[in-house]
Amino acid sequence: MKAQRIFLWLVAAMFFLCSVHTRGLRRCLISMDIHHIEETFQEIKKTIQAKDTFQNVTILSTPETLHSIKPLDVCCMTKNLLAFYVDKVFKDHQELNPQILRKISSIANSFLYMQKALQRCQEQRQCHCRDEATNATRIIHDNYDQLEVRSAAIKSLGELDVFLAWIDKNHQGPSAA
């Protein structure tokens, strides 16, 4: 009887620690108001997507990318995609309209802020990168690199709502309320 109690206590403790660890990974971005970024993007979405000449091509929405990411890979994948947008997409996109440019700059600054938050999580060893996240990131980069740079930047900006919805879904938790 005593052995059963110890076993049940150990199982409960492991379950608790795993759930705390998973929630800890999701807390890395909770302080950022994703809905504000989504609203900013919605203001420019039609203009950006109207410039997209490859309507039948996708960079983020393939089954192997965001939809297959497991909870343990959320932090890493978020970190990788933020870097993708900051280091590639925002730099490659050339916008002439000053209003659109201001909105894109606002989104880019929010992404930089989120990158810093994730950097702190990574320093605390809460953001691990497994093969699945690395492979999904590589697929996204390969999809991007298959298009001409300007077209790839426009396509990726047009799919920003996919990434933002994914962040919102995967980084909500008790502390998000």
Side-chain angles (χ1 to χ4, degrees), residues 2 4 14 17 32 36 47 49 51-52 71 77 83 96 114 119 128 141 144 151 153 157 162 173 176:
K2 200 174 201 178
Q4 277 184 322
M14 283 181 21
L17 289 174
M32 180 47 92
H36 175 71
T47 305
Q49 289 181 343
K51 297 176 186 178
D52 184 359
M77 194 66 195
L96 300 176
M114 288 188 282
Q119 182 64 35
H128 305 284
H141 281 272
Y144 188 91
S151 297
L157 278 174
V162 173

Side-chain angles (χ1 to χ4, degrees), residues 11 15 23 29 32-33 36 38 44 47 58 68 72 99 102-103 125-126 128 130 134 136 139-140 159:
V11 168
F15 177 74
R23 273 186 276 150
L29 283 180
M32 180 47 92
D33 184 7
H36 175 71
E38 289 172 328
I44 62 171
T47 305
T58 185
S68 64
L72 284 174
Q99 287 91 4
R102 270 194 295 276
K103 300 288 183 187
R125 301 188 191 280
Q126 293 180 331
H128 305 284
R130 298 181 326 142
T134 304
I139 289 168
I140 289 169
E159 293 182 359

Side-chain angles (χ1 to χ4, degrees), residues 10-114:
L10 286 173
V11 168
M14 283 181 21
F15 177 74
F16 175 76
L17 289 174
C18 286
S19 72
V20 167
H21 178 69
T22 301
R23 273 186 276 150
L25 292 176
R26 291 183 174 195
R27 269 191 225 137
C28 291
L29 283 180
I30 294 301
S31 63
M32 180 47 92
D33 184 7
I34 298 300
H35 297 291
H36 175 71
I37 302 170
E38 289 172 328
E39 289 172 7
T40 302
F41 174 69
Q42 288 303 319
E43 294 172 13
I44 62 171
K45 179 179 178 178
K46 285 183 184 177
T47 305
I48 296 291
Q49 289 181 343
K51 297 176 186 178
D52 184 359
T53 56
F54 296 99
Q55 298 294 322
N56 59 336
V57 176
T58 185
I59 292 177
L60 295 181
S61 297
T62 62
E64 307 86 42
T65 55
L66 295 179
H67 305 297
S68 64
I69 298 300
K70 294 176 178 57
L72 284 174
D73 294 320
V74 166
C75 179
C76 177
M77 194 66 195
T78 305
K79 178 182 69 74
N80 290 347
L81 282 175
L82 288 170
F84 167 74
Y85 271 95
V86 169
D87 298 338
K88 271 193 159 187
V89 177
F90 295 137
K91 287 184 181 177
D92 289 345
H93 182 69
Q94 297 176 355
E95 183 59 55
L96 300 176
N97 182 326
Q99 287 91 4
I100 302 291
L101 187 58
R102 270 194 295 276
K103 300 288 183 187
I104 292 172
S105 294
S106 173
I107 294 168
N109 286 334
S110 296
F111 278 25
L112 286 169
Y113 177 83
M114 288 188 282

